[in-house]
């Protein structure tokens, strides 16, 4: 098993090194061949491990592979923990990555950085696999930082664009804030346990829960609460939760394949996975769970609103990702870890599908991304249209599609929770169903329906994308439709995550939801008795009426509710605050340190001041060296007289 696991991790890494270091030698075809082969090997081996774990009953694999360093008794190792949670993530990551690799052949066909791009996305896959397969915090942190580094490289892949450089720098800086909290959380665990190993940390969890930190004078904080909140701050950065969400929409400056990879299988899912993996810790801190719950609920609803007013097809999908990540975070907050991971899985398929379909539209439109310049593309791009529609139906939770099973179960689980903030979260995720349907079908209608709004040259050259683009769309559309039927029972309401996820009996909301589960068909029928289905239908009808039948009404509403539109158009002024308060304040503080600390104190006083002092002393003392013998004799007499006077006075 150990050799198989090494093959899964190393195959994309070796392929990335070959494509990156020898790209000119092997050429474009060689670069995409070797990287696709590397990811395909990882996917095939991941399927083999999945079969061995899930169907053949193989035991959990948890062992170190290599000891890097031992310091003060702390063993810094590389190792693997492979259980049902891990194998599910491995299959999702490698499958979506494989589809993105194939798709990239068509999308990046004319790009000068073709080999470099394939090297980056293969390296991205390696980093994410290292993260999800780790059995200790050192390797987890390595994978955590590696996905951040590669996302920085990919968001700024078109480095000649100032907007791309600004976006990747923004992503880098925002994630440093989250990573600082994450590192503090790991430090807290090491402080209490003296180990970086997961199982040791879980074993000492009751000790941490019974301990306290004194963060402020006279105020003690529960040790587990502090550690879990710090860990979740890291997840807020990686999984783009309010207020550390601002980098994700700007990541659309990168090529579309990387948008799909970041939003569906890597980077943003890392935070969700990490919290689920740390369930033995989070379960012992209701305060931390409530914090997670409120942050997730706020992200789910309020980021969805931004999708309604945006006109860039990729950014609409990006705000959708923010909202859906909020849904996953809400599930984690109510201890429905299985529902959060289940929604992560289904979301990976239909969100990758939607991004790649958007890329197909962008190819046909000669890299135009504004939906106001599209319309009527349904007849020109039939495969792209139908696969986009499938992705949209899965996203809004249409009964029977994959997103329906995960989202409805998640909403029901929130309704069963009694944690502080649960009623607020229930309102947000329920209202978010209408919002999701509205912005999703607004995008579908503005892109594929209605009158054609593109220029004549673009209209004349409209055609469906090549097979390397459409085949991944079809292959992603299949699980977007059917995966929920086969997995909702065993994964969500069975014991699939037994041993991998820990839930206290008082927090087991999925057990209450599962009590009414009578198979996938029964779950679909039950939806007709609940509110979310009708909210989704209302959202679809509203989008059809507002953007196809009466497009004048949105214009009127925008003018009538100008203050509300201004708030949404300015993205709640998060970017303004970051740029004009935090960034500007940091620059002002830097200038203050420069003027006062560097120029006045260091240069003015210490460096130049000491030089001036020495010069002044030299100027004064050089007059003593006159060169006349009688001056020196007089000085000696004066000095001797002073010494005699001192001795006489003392006696």
């Amino acid at each position: 098993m150990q050799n198989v696991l090494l093959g899964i991790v190393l195959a994309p890494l070796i392929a990335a090194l070959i494509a990156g270091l020898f790209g000119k030698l092997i050429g474009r075809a060689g670069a995409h061949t070797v990287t696709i082969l590397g990811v395909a090997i990882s996917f095939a081996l991941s399927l083999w491990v999945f079969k061995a774990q899930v169907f053949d009953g193989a035991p959990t694999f948890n062992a170190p592979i290599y000891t890097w360093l031992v310091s003060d008794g702390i063993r810094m190792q590389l190792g693997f923990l492979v259980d049902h949670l891990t194998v599910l993530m491995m299959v999702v990551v490698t499958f979506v990555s494989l589809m993105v690799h194939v798709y990239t052949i068509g999308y990046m066909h004319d790009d000068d950085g073709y080999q470099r791009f394939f090297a980056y996305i293969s390296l991205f896959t390696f980093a994410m696999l290292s993260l999800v397969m780790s059995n200790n915090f050192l390797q987890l942190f390595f994978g955590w930082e590696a996905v951040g580094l590669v996302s920085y490289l990919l968001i700024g892949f078109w480095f000649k664009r100032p907007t791309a450089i600004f976006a990747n720098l923004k992503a880098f800086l925002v994630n440093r804030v989250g990573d600082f909290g994450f590192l503090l959380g790991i430090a807290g665990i090491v402080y209490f346990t003296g180990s970086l190993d997961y199982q040791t940390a879980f074993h000492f969890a009751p000790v941490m829960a019974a301990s306290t930190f004194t963060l402020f004078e006279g105020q003690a904080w529960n040790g587990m609460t502090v550690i879990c909140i710090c860990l979740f701050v890291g997840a807020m950065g990686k999984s783009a939760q309010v207020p550390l969400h601002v980098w994700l929409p700007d990541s659309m400056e990168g090529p579309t394949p990387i948008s799909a990879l970041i939003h569906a299988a890597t980077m943003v899912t890392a935070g969700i996975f990490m919290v689920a993996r740390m369930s033995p810790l989070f379960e012992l801190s209701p305060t931390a769970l409530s914090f997670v719950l409120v942050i997730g609920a706020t992200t789910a609803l309020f980021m969805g609103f931004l999708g309604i007013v945006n006109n860039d097809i990729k950014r609409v999908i990006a705000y959708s990702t923010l909202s859906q990540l909020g849904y996953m975070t809400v599930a984690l907050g109510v201890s429905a870890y299985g529902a959060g991971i289940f929604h992560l899985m289904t979301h990976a398929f239909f969100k990758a599908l939607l991004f790649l379909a958007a890329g197909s539209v962008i190819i046909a439109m000669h890299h135009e991304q504004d939906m106001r310049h599209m319309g009527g593309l349904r007849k020109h791009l039939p495969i792209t249209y139908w696969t986009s529609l499938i992705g949209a139906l899965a996203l809004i939770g249409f009964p029977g599609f994959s997103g329906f099973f995960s989202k409805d179960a998640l909403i029901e689980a929130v309704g069963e929770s009694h944690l502080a903030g649960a009623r607020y979260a229930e309102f947000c995720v329920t209202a978010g169903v209408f919002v999701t349907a509205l912005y999703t079908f607004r995008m579908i209608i503005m892109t594929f329906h209605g009158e054609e709004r593109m220029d004549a040259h673009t209209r004349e050259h409209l055609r469906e994308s090549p097979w390397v683009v459409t085949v991944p769309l079809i292959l992603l559309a299949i699980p977007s439709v059917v995966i929920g039927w086969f997995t909702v029972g065993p994964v969500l309401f069975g014991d699939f995550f037994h041993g991998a996820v820990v839930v206290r009996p008082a927090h087991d909301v999925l057990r209450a939801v599962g009590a009414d589960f009578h198979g996938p068909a029964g779950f679909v029928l039950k939806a007709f008795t609940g509110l979310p289905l009708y909210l989704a239908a209302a959202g679809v009808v509203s989008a059809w009426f507002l953007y196809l039948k009466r497009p004048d009404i949105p214009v009127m509403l925008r003018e009538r509710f100008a203050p509300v539109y201004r708030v949404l158009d300015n993205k709640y002024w998060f970017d303004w605050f970051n740029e004009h308060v935090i960034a500007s304040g940091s620059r002002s503080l830097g200038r203050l340190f420069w003027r006062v600390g560097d120029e006045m104190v260091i240069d003015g006083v210490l460096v130049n001041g000491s030089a001036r002092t020495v010069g002044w002393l030299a100027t004064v003392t050089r007059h003593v060296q006159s060169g006349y013998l009688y001056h020196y004799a007089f000085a000696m007499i004066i000095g001797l007289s002073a010494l005699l006077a001192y001795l006489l006075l003392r006696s």
Side-chain angles (χ1 to χ4, degrees):
M1 176 66 78
Q2 178 175 312
N3 291 334
V4 173
L5 298 177
L6 283 171
I8 292 172
V9 174
L10 294 179
L13 174 61
I14 294 170
L17 292 174
I18 293 172
L21 299 177
F22 307 104
K24 291 184 178 180
L25 184 64
I26 63 177
R28 297 162 73 91
H32 71 235
T33 300
V34 71
T35 51
I36 290 173
L37 179 62
V39 176
I41 290 172
S42 287
F43 176 56
L45 293 177
S46 296
L47 286 177
W48 185 86
V49 176
F50 185 90
K51 174 182 176 296
Q53 284 266 333
V54 177
F55 296 107
D56 299 340
T60 296
F61 181 92
N62 183 14
I65 302 300
Y66 171 71
T67 299
W68 174 52
L69 182 67
V70 179
S71 177
D72 292 332
I74 300 175
R75 303 184 70 84
M76 301 182 186
Q77 299 175 319
L78 303 181
F80 296 135
L81 170 59
V82 180
D83 52 19
H84 285 193
L85 174 60
T86 306
V87 294
L88 181 65
M89 291 295 298
M90 287 161 56
V91 171
V92 170
V93 169
T94 53
F95 174 71
V96 173
S97 179
L98 180 59
M99 295 300 100
V100 170
H101 275 69
V102 175
Y103 177 94
T104 299
I105 297 174
Y107 192 89
M108 302 293 288
H109 181 265
D110 297 322
D111 198 281
D112 293 336
Y114 189 86
Q115 293 97 314
R116 179 165 56 93
F117 189 83
F118 272 99
Y120 285 171
I121 59 175
S122 190
L123 188 62
F124 211 170
T125 307
F126 156 74
M128 190 65 185
L129 288 171
S130 299
L131 188 155
V132 301
M133 294 171 66
S134 64
N135 73 342
N136 63 85
F137 289 99
L138 175 68
Q139 187 173 327
L140 174 69
F141 191 71
F142 166 78
W144 194 268
E145 293 301 310
V147 294
L149 170 64
V150 183
S151 67
Y152 167 82
L153 296 173
L154 284 163
I155 293 169
F157 181 79
W158 287 321
F159 54 84
K160 294 183 179 180
R161 298 181 181 180
T163 52
I165 296 303
F166 180 81
N168 74 349
L169 181 61
K170 187 176 183 179
F172 187 84
L173 293 176
V174 171
N175 273 277
R176 295 292 68 74
V177 176
D179 292 351
F180 179 68
F182 187 55
L183 197 56
L184 288 178
I186 295 175
I189 291 171
V190 174
Y191 173 78
F192 281 111
T193 67
S195 174
L196 289 164
D197 183 69
Y198 288 167
Q199 296 305 318
T200 304
F202 299 158
H203 176 74
F204 279 92
V207 175
M208 291 185 276
S211 303
T212 58
F213 282 116
T214 302
L215 298 179
F216 305 102
E217 186 68 29
Q219 187 173 11
W221 286 64
N222 179 267
M224 185 63 78
T225 297
V226 173
I227 288 170
C228 288
I229 289 178
C230 286
L231 291 175
F232 181 67
V233 169
M236 288 169 62
K238 279 289 179 290
S239 293
Q241 298 297 290
V242 171
L244 301 182
H245 67 284
V246 292
W247 67 271
L248 193 60
D250 286 4
S251 71
M252 298 302 98
E253 291 295 332
T256 299
I258 194 52
S259 301
L261 202 54
I262 287 177
H263 289 244
T266 60
M267 187 67 172
V268 298
T269 59
I272 306 301
F273 166 81
M274 184 273 292
V275 175
R277 176 60 80 197
M278 297 299 124
S279 60
L281 306 183
F282 279 85
E283 281 300 286
L284 297 180
S285 176
T287 302
L289 288 175
S290 293
F291 181 76
V292 172
L293 180 61
V294 171
I295 292 293
T298 303
T299 306
L301 181 60
F302 289 91
M303 293 301 104
F305 286 139
L306 300 183
I308 300 174
V309 301
N310 210 285
N311 295 307
D312 185 305
I313 187 171
K314 285 176 61 177
R315 287 181 182 261
V316 172
I317 304 173
Y319 284 117
S320 167
T321 300
L322 284 171
S323 180
Q324 297 308 304
L325 288 168
Y327 274 87
M328 298 174 207
T329 304
V330 165
L332 301 175
V334 297
S335 297
Y337 303 100
I341 295 298
F342 187 53
H343 194 52
L344 183 156
M345 178 191 71
T346 61
H347 175 265
F349 296 126
F350 62 71
K351 186 52 59 70
L353 172 60
L354 284 171
F355 264 115
L356 298 187
S360 179
V361 169
I362 293 169
I363 293 172
M365 292 292 298
H366 302 290
H367 295 278
E368 173 63 68
Q369 297 181 195
D370 194 328
M371 297 185 297
R372 292 171 296 185
H373 301 154
M374 298 180 186
L377 294 178
R378 179 181 55 171
K379 58 180 177 292
H380 300 287
L381 311 173
I383 298 176
T384 301
Y385 169 70
W386 286 108
T387 53
S388 296
L389 185 61
I390 288 171
L393 291 171
L395 173 58
I396 70 169
F398 188 85
F401 285 71
S402 63
F404 159 77
F405 291 104
S406 57
K407 185 181 285 187
D408 267 41
L410 191 158
I411 294 172
E412 289 188 36
V414 176
E416 296 289 339
S417 177
H418 300 289
L419 276 176
R423 301 289 70 82
Y424 167 73
E426 186 178 15
F427 167 77
C428 288
V429 295
T430 304
V433 173
F434 172 82
V435 175
T436 301
L438 178 59
Y439 68 66
T440 301
F441 273 83
R442 170 182 177 264
M443 177 186 69
I444 293 293
I445 289 167
M446 290 183 68
T447 303
F448 296 103
H449 293 270
E451 62 180 13
E452 298 176 353
R453 298 182 295 276
M454 69 286 297
D455 57 63
H457 178 266
T458 302
R459 186 183 298 111
E460 291 173 1
H461 293 84
L462 283 174
R463 65 179 185 275
E464 186 59 272
S465 299
W467 70 267
V468 289
V469 171
T470 56
V471 167
L473 297 182
I474 296 169
L475 293 177
L476 286 166
I478 294 171
S480 298
V481 176
V482 305
I483 195 70
W485 291 90
F486 301 106
T487 57
V488 62
V491 173
L492 201 55
F493 301 119
D495 60 351
F496 185 85
F497 293 116
H498 178 71
V501 168
V502 174
V503 180
R504 299 174 69 186
H507 296 167
D508 198 356
V509 292
L510 280 180
R511 182 179 296 277
V513 176
D516 296 329
F517 178 74
H518 303 290
F523 199 75
V524 171
L525 292 175
K526 183 184 175 183
F528 289 89
T529 64
L531 182 60
L533 174 63
Y534 299 100
L535 287 175
V540 173
V541 171
S542 298
W544 169 80
F545 181 73
L546 292 174
Y547 296 99
L548 189 61
K549 292 299 180 182
R550 292 291 305 276
D552 59 301
I553 294 180
V555 177
M556 180 268 292
L557 291 174
R558 184 174 62 189
E559 295 174 353
R560 179 165 297 182
F561 298 99
V564 176
Y565 177 81
R566 194 175 303 114
V567 170
L568 297 178
D569 189 49
N570 286 282
K571 298 168 284 190
Y572 308 114
W573 284 287
F574 276 107
D575 284 335
W576 182 91
F577 179 82
N578 289 335
E579 292 174 22
H580 292 83
V581 177
I582 295 179
S584 179
S586 299
R587 288 193 296 268
S588 298
L589 185 63
R591 282 193 294 268
L592 177 65
F593 285 141
W594 169 41
R595 295 291 188 188
V596 176
D598 192 25
E599 287 193 337
M600 291 180 59
V601 177
I602 296 175
D603 286 345
V605 176
L606 297 180
V607 179
N608 296 331
S610 60
R612 283 193 294 267
T613 301
V614 171
W616 177 79
L617 287 173
T619 301
V620 172
T621 57
R622 72 180 180 177
H623 294 293
V624 177
Q625 302 295 327
S626 63
Y628 295 108
L629 183 62
Y630 65 87
H631 282 175
Y632 301 149
F634 181 74
M636 291 172 63
I637 294 170
I638 294 296
L640 182 60
S641 300
L643 178 61
L644 290 172
Y646 172 73
L647 293 174
L648 289 172
L649 289 173
R650 285 193 61 186
S651 62

